[in-house]
PDB file of all heavy atoms in Angstrom:
ATOM      1  N   PHE A 184      96.968 109.262  96.331  1.00 98.00           N
ATOM      2  CA  PHE A 184      98.288 108.630  96.233  1.00 98.00           C
ATOM      3  C   PHE A 184      98.321 107.591  95.105  1.00 98.00           C
ATOM      4  O   PHE A 184      99.206 107.604  94.243  1.00 98.00           O
ATOM      5  CB  PHE A 184      98.617 107.971  97.579  1.00 98.00           C
ATOM      6  CG  PHE A 184      99.821 107.082  97.567  1.00 98.00           C
ATOM      7  CD1 PHE A 184     101.081 107.604  97.346  1.00 98.00           C
ATOM      8  CD2 PHE A 184      99.698 105.708  97.792  1.00 98.00           C
ATOM      9  CE1 PHE A 184     102.206 106.780  97.341  1.00 98.00           C
ATOM     10  CE2 PHE A 184     100.810 104.878  97.791  1.00 98.00           C
ATOM     11  CZ  PHE A 184     102.067 105.409  97.562  1.00 98.00           C
ATOM     12  N   GLU A 185      97.328 106.718  95.097  1.00 98.00           N
ATOM     13  CA  GLU A 185      97.344 105.613  94.123  1.00 98.00           C
ATOM     14  C   GLU A 185      97.151 106.093  92.684  1.00 98.00           C
ATOM     15  O   GLU A 185      97.503 105.384  91.750  1.00 98.00           O
ATOM     16  CB  GLU A 185      96.256 104.591  94.486  1.00 98.00           C
ATOM     17  CG  GLU A 185      96.568 103.853  95.769  1.00 98.00           C
ATOM     18  CD  GLU A 185      95.495 102.834  96.135  1.00 98.00           C
ATOM     19  OE1 GLU A 185      94.298 103.179  96.066  1.00 98.00           O
ATOM     20  OE2 GLU A 185      95.865 101.712  96.502  1.00 98.00           O
ATOM     21  N   THR A 186      96.550 107.271  92.524  1.00 98.00           N
ATOM     22  CA  THR A 186      96.331 107.777  91.161  1.00 98.00           C
ATOM     23  C   THR A 186      97.373 108.840  90.783  1.00 98.00           C
ATOM     24  O   THR A 186      97.272 109.446  89.721  1.00 98.00           O
ATOM     25  CB  THR A 186      94.914 108.388  91.032  1.00 98.00           C
ATOM     26  OG1 THR A 186      94.760 109.406  92.026  1.00 98.00           O
ATOM     27  CG2 THR A 186      93.832 107.342  91.218  1.00 98.00           C
ATOM     28  N   SER A 187      98.345 109.049  91.658  1.00 98.00           N
ATOM     29  CA  SER A 187      99.342 110.102  91.390  1.00 98.00           C
ATOM     30  C   SER A 187     100.336 109.650  90.318  1.00 98.00           C
ATOM     31  O   SER A 187     100.586 108.448  90.136  1.00 98.00           O
ATOM     32  CB  SER A 187     100.102 110.458  92.677  1.00 98.00           C
ATOM     33  OG  SER A 187     100.922 109.364  93.078  1.00 98.00           O
ATOM     34  N   ASP A 188     100.899 110.638  89.638  1.00 98.00           N
ATOM     35  CA  ASP A 188     101.940 110.331  88.647  1.00 98.00           C
ATOM     36  C   ASP A 188     103.144 109.680  89.327  1.00 98.00           C
ATOM     37  O   ASP A 188     103.762 108.765  88.772  1.00 98.00           O
ATOM     38  CB  ASP A 188     102.388 111.619  87.941  1.00 98.00           C
ATOM     39  CG  ASP A 188     101.304 112.132  87.001  1.00 98.00           C
ATOM     40  OD1 ASP A 188     100.386 111.351  86.673  1.00 98.00           O
ATOM     41  OD2 ASP A 188     101.369 113.319  86.619  1.00 98.00           O
ATOM     42  N   SER A 189     103.470 110.166  90.525  1.00 98.00           N
ATOM     43  CA  SER A 189     104.649 109.617  91.220  1.00 98.00           C
ATOM     44  C   SER A 189     104.482 108.123  91.461  1.00 98.00           C
ATOM     45  O   SER A 189     105.418 107.340  91.250  1.00 98.00           O
ATOM     46  CB  SER A 189     104.850 110.306  92.575  1.00 98.00           C
ATOM     47  OG  SER A 189     105.090 111.661  92.394  1.00 98.00           O
ATOM     48  N   PHE A 190     103.285 107.734  91.889  1.00 98.00           N
ATOM     49  CA  PHE A 190     103.066 106.311  92.158  1.00 98.00           C
ATOM     50  C   PHE A 190     103.214 105.497  90.869  1.00 98.00           C
ATOM     51  O   PHE A 190     103.840 104.439  90.853  1.00 98.00           O
ATOM     52  CB  PHE A 190     101.700 106.099  92.807  1.00 98.00           C
ATOM     53  CG  PHE A 190     101.470 104.675  93.223  1.00 98.00           C
ATOM     54  CD1 PHE A 190     102.230 104.107  94.229  1.00 98.00           C
ATOM     55  CD2 PHE A 190     100.520 103.894  92.586  1.00 98.00           C
ATOM     56  CE1 PHE A 190     102.046 102.780  94.610  1.00 98.00           C
ATOM     57  CE2 PHE A 190     100.325 102.565  92.965  1.00 98.00           C
ATOM     58  CZ  PHE A 190     101.087 102.015  93.973  1.00 98.00           C
ATOM     59  N   LYS A 191     102.664 106.060  89.784  1.00 98.00           N
ATOM     60  CA  LYS A 191     102.789 105.338  88.507  1.00 98.00           C
ATOM     61  C   LYS A 191     104.258 105.156  88.139  1.00 98.00           C
ATOM     62  O   LYS A 191     104.688 104.080  87.716  1.00 98.00           O
ATOM     63  CB  LYS A 191     102.086 106.118  87.395  1.00 98.00           C
ATOM     64  CG  LYS A 191     100.603 105.849  87.388  1.00 98.00           C
ATOM     65  CD  LYS A 191      99.893 106.576  86.241  1.00 98.00           C
ATOM     66  CE  LYS A 191      98.468 106.831  86.672  1.00 98.00           C
ATOM     67  NZ  LYS A 191      98.066 108.225  86.698  1.00 98.00           N
ATOM     68  N   VAL A 192     105.017 106.233  88.307  1.00 98.00           N
ATOM     69  CA  VAL A 192     106.435 106.183  87.903  1.00 98.00           C
ATOM     70  C   VAL A 192     107.199 105.143  88.727  1.00 98.00           C
ATOM     71  O   VAL A 192     107.975 104.351  88.177  1.00 98.00           O
ATOM     72  CB  VAL A 192     107.084 107.578  88.052  1.00 98.00           C
ATOM     73  CG1 VAL A 192     108.593 107.495  87.898  1.00 98.00           C
ATOM     74  CG2 VAL A 192     106.507 108.554  87.032  1.00 98.00           C
ATOM     75  N   ILE A 193     106.955 105.121  90.035  1.00 98.00           N
ATOM     76  CA  ILE A 193     107.756 104.190  90.849  1.00 98.00           C
ATOM     77  C   ILE A 193     107.316 102.733  90.672  1.00 98.00           C
ATOM     78  O   ILE A 193     108.034 101.824  91.067  1.00 98.00           O
ATOM     79  CB  ILE A 193     107.762 104.556  92.354  1.00 98.00           C
ATOM     80  CG1 ILE A 193     106.374 104.383  92.984  1.00 98.00           C
ATOM     81  CG2 ILE A 193     108.341 105.943  92.591  1.00 98.00           C
ATOM     82  CD1 ILE A 193     106.399 103.628  94.279  1.00 98.00           C
ATOM     83  N   MET A 194     106.117 102.530  90.101  1.00 98.00           N
ATOM     84  CA  MET A 194     105.637 101.159  89.924  1.00 98.00           C
ATOM     85  C   MET A 194     105.890 100.601  88.524  1.00 98.00           C
ATOM     86  O   MET A 194     105.486  99.461  88.229  1.00 98.00           O
ATOM     87  CB  MET A 194     104.146 101.078  90.258  1.00 98.00           C
ATOM     88  CG  MET A 194     103.821 101.301  91.735  1.00 98.00           C
ATOM     89  SD  MET A 194     104.751 100.241  92.867  1.00 98.00           S
ATOM     90  CE  MET A 194     103.782  98.723  92.735  1.00 98.00           C
ATOM     91  N   VAL A 195     106.548 101.394  87.682  1.00 97.00           N
ATOM     92  CA  VAL A 195     106.863 100.883  86.341  1.00 97.00           C
ATOM     93  C   VAL A 195     107.684  99.595  86.484  1.00 97.00           C
ATOM     94  O   VAL A 195     108.608  99.523  87.294  1.00 97.00           O
ATOM     95  CB  VAL A 195     107.655 101.943  85.531  1.00 97.00           C
ATOM     96  CG1 VAL A 195     108.289 101.318  84.289  1.00 97.00           C
ATOM     97  CG2 VAL A 195     106.732 103.099  85.148  1.00 97.00           C
ATOM     98  N   LYS A 196     107.298  98.587  85.710  1.00 96.00           N
ATOM     99  CA  LYS A 196     108.000  97.294  85.785  1.00 96.00           C
ATOM    100  C   LYS A 196     109.348  97.386  85.084  1.00 96.00           C
ATOM    101  O   LYS A 196     109.437  97.918  83.974  1.00 96.00           O
ATOM    102  CB  LYS A 196     107.166  96.205  85.123  1.00 96.00           C
ATOM    103  CG  LYS A 196     106.152  95.633  86.038  1.00 96.00           C
ATOM    104  CD  LYS A 196     105.671  94.263  85.574  1.00 96.00           C
ATOM    105  CE  LYS A 196     104.682  93.738  86.586  1.00 96.00           C
ATOM    106  NZ  LYS A 196     103.707  92.818  86.025  1.00 96.00           N
ATOM    107  N   ARG A 197     110.360  96.889  85.737  1.00 95.00           N
ATOM    108  CA  ARG A 197     111.693  96.850  85.140  1.00 95.00           C
ATOM    109  C   ARG A 197     112.144  95.403  85.093  1.00 95.00           C
ATOM    110  O   ARG A 197     111.700  94.594  85.915  1.00 95.00           O
ATOM    111  CB  ARG A 197     112.692  97.609  86.031  1.00 95.00           C
ATOM    112  CG  ARG A 197     112.417  99.073  86.091  1.00 95.00           C
ATOM    113  CD  ARG A 197     113.228  99.762  87.171  1.00 95.00           C
ATOM    114  NE  ARG A 197     112.942 101.178  87.065  1.00 95.00           N
ATOM    115  CZ  ARG A 197     113.801 102.087  86.623  1.00 95.00           C
ATOM    116  NH1 ARG A 197     115.041 101.745  86.294  1.00 95.00           N
ATOM    117  NH2 ARG A 197     113.450 103.343  86.505  1.00 95.00           N
ATOM    118  N   PRO A 198     113.064  95.125  84.188  1.00 96.00           N
ATOM    119  CA  PRO A 198     113.585  93.752  84.183  1.00 96.00           C
ATOM    120  C   PRO A 198     114.293  93.461  85.508  1.00 96.00           C
ATOM    121  O   PRO A 198     114.863  94.370  86.112  1.00 96.00           O
ATOM    122  CB  PRO A 198     114.608  93.748  83.031  1.00 96.00           C
ATOM    123  CG  PRO A 198     114.426  95.035  82.305  1.00 96.00           C
ATOM    124  CD  PRO A 198     113.675  95.983  83.180  1.00 96.00           C
ATOM    125  N   ILE A 199     114.213  92.228  85.954  1.00 98.00           N
ATOM    126  CA  ILE A 199     114.934  91.833  87.172  1.00 98.00           C
ATOM    127  C   ILE A 199     116.440  91.920  86.893  1.00 98.00           C
ATOM    128  O   ILE A 199     116.915  91.472  85.846  1.00 98.00           O
ATOM    129  CB  ILE A 199     114.533  90.391  87.580  1.00 98.00           C
ATOM    130  CG1 ILE A 199     113.024  90.328  87.881  1.00 98.00           C
ATOM    131  CG2 ILE A 199     115.353  89.901  88.765  1.00 98.00           C
ATOM    132  CD1 ILE A 199     112.543  91.293  88.946  1.00 98.00           C
ATOM    133  N   TRP A 200     117.161  92.524  87.838  1.00 98.00           N
ATOM    134  CA  TRP A 200     118.598  92.738  87.668  1.00 98.00           C
ATOM    135  C   TRP A 200     119.352  91.408  87.523  1.00 98.00           C
ATOM    136  O   TRP A 200     119.032  90.429  88.204  1.00 98.00           O
ATOM    137  CB  TRP A 200     119.162  93.515  88.858  1.00 98.00           C
ATOM    138  CG  TRP A 200     120.630  93.807  88.693  1.00 98.00           C
ATOM    139  CD1 TRP A 200     121.180  94.834  88.001  1.00 98.00           C
ATOM    140  CD2 TRP A 200     121.716  93.034  89.205  1.00 98.00           C
ATOM    141  NE1 TRP A 200     122.556  94.763  88.051  1.00 98.00           N
ATOM    142  CE2 TRP A 200     122.912  93.662  88.789  1.00 98.00           C
ATOM    143  CE3 TRP A 200     121.799  91.863  89.975  1.00 98.00           C
ATOM    144  CZ2 TRP A 200     124.174  93.169  89.121  1.00 98.00           C
ATOM    145  CZ3 TRP A 200     123.065  91.376  90.298  1.00 98.00           C
ATOM    146  CH2 TRP A 200     124.232  92.021  89.870  1.00 98.00           C
ATOM    147  N   GLU A 201     120.321  91.432  86.619  1.00 97.00           N
ATOM    148  CA  GLU A 201     121.193  90.259  86.458  1.00 97.00           C
ATOM    149  C   GLU A 201     122.628  90.736  86.449  1.00 97.00           C
ATOM    150  O   GLU A 201     122.892  91.872  86.025  1.00 97.00           O
ATOM    151  CB  GLU A 201     120.908  89.558  85.119  1.00 97.00           C
ATOM    152  CG  GLU A 201     119.614  88.794  85.139  1.00 97.00           C
ATOM    153  CD  GLU A 201     119.315  88.130  83.810  1.00 97.00           C
ATOM    154  OE1 GLU A 201     120.132  88.282  82.856  1.00 97.00           O
ATOM    155  OE2 GLU A 201     118.268  87.482  83.730  1.00 97.00           O
ATOM    156  N   PRO A 202     123.565  89.896  86.897  1.00 95.00           N
ATOM    157  CA  PRO A 202     124.966  90.314  86.872  1.00 95.00           C
ATOM    158  C   PRO A 202     125.359  90.782  85.474  1.00 95.00           C
ATOM    159  O   PRO A 202     124.982  90.153  84.479  1.00 95.00           O
ATOM    160  CB  PRO A 202     125.724  89.039  87.250  1.00 95.00           C
ATOM    161  CG  PRO A 202     124.729  88.211  87.997  1.00 95.00           C
ATOM    162  CD  PRO A 202     123.384  88.532  87.409  1.00 95.00           C
TER     163      PRO A 202
END
Side-chain angles (χ1 to χ4, degrees):
F184 170 66
E185 291 180 314
T186 56
S187 68
D188 289 344
S189 298
F190 185 66
K191 278 182 208 121
V192 169
I193 67 132
M194 292 307 280
V195 166
K196 276 200 178 153
R197 293 169 176 251
I199 299 303
W200 182 83
E201 286 179 359

